[in-house]
Amino acid sequence: TTAGGSAPDDDGSSTDDPAPEQPEDPDYIAPPEHIQAQLDTIQTEVYTAINDMRTEQNLSMIFEYPDRQEAAQDKAELNAVTGQEDIVDENISMLQAHLPLNEASGYEFIERLRTSESHLAVMMEPTNLHMAVGVAYSASDDKVWLVLQFE
């Protein structure tokens, strides 16, 4: 035996089985590149708009929430496929909205969400410091679906 080091496994076996990837919603069809670029812009604008509102109220900024990003995106895609906004079983603060593609921007989504006191309360909750933004497009109804998850 050798002290202070470890020898590689020479038996050819592999214990590093990769974890199976989560399947994407098979019914969701990725949008054309120009629409995907608009969705990416909406995502950025949502972060900016909410942080601008929070700054005006002397609240801390809200940061991207990488641990929830995939879940928020999956939920937005599901909403786009089903054409409806449903609650999730998880214990998470979530806002959902949709707009026709020709009206959709991050700022327009936030303007509409903030007209609801309950939605505004979630966006301005001082203890919410992280947010994930999912944005998806449904070609069948030409709508953009937004999901915000907060912690």
Side-chain angles (χ1 to χ4, degrees), residues 74-88 94 96-98 138 140-141 143 145-147:
D74 288 349
K75 179 65 174 131
E77 291 174 8
L78 178 65
N79 291 356
V81 169
T82 62
Q84 58 189 1
E85 299 165 356
D86 291 320
I87 60 170
V88 294
M94 183 171 71
Q96 304 176 79
H98 60 279
S138 169
S140 64
D141 58 8
K143 289 184 180 168
W145 297 81
L146 176 75
V147 172

Side-chain angles (χ1 to χ4, degrees), residues 12-26:
S13 68
S14 173
T15 57
D16 295 327
D17 293 330
E21 287 190 31
Q22 290 287 12
E24 293 181 25
D25 189 324

Side-chain angles (χ1 to χ4, degrees), residues 12-132:
S13 68
S14 173
T15 57
D16 295 327
D17 293 330
E21 287 190 31
Q22 290 287 12
E24 293 181 25
D25 189 324
D27 297 325
Y28 182 73
I29 299 167
E33 198 172 306
H34 70 284
I35 293 176
Q36 184 59 52
Q38 183 176 347
L39 300 182
D40 294 344
T41 298
I42 289 169
Q43 186 178 41
T44 300
E45 290 173 349
V46 165
Y47 280 110
T48 302
I50 289 178
N51 276 320
D52 287 349
M53 288 172 29
R54 289 174 67 94
T55 300
E56 289 171 9
Q57 298 298 314
N58 296 316
L59 295 171
S60 64
M61 290 185 64
I62 203 157
F63 297 99
E64 292 184 28
Y65 192 7
D67 293 347
R68 295 294 313 169
Q69 187 56 46
E70 185 176 342
Q73 184 62 38
D74 288 349
K75 179 65 174 131
E77 291 174 8
L78 178 65
N79 291 356
V81 169
T82 62
Q84 58 189 1
E85 299 165 356
D86 291 320
I87 60 170
V88 294
D89 293 334
E90 298 170 275
N91 182 19
I92 187 128
S93 294
M94 183 171 71
L95 302 179
Q96 304 176 79
H98 60 279
L99 288 170
L101 178 65
N102 64 349
E103 296 176 28
S105 74
Y107 297 105
E108 186 61 31
F109 272 115
I110 298 308
E111 281 303 310
R112 295 199 181 189
L113 286 170
R114 72 188 286 176
T115 62
S116 159
E117 284 189 34
S118 61
H119 290 97
L120 182 61
V122 172
M123 291 187 286
M124 303 302 282
E125 171 56 49
T127 60
N128 284 338
L129 300 177
H130 296 93
M131 177 177 66

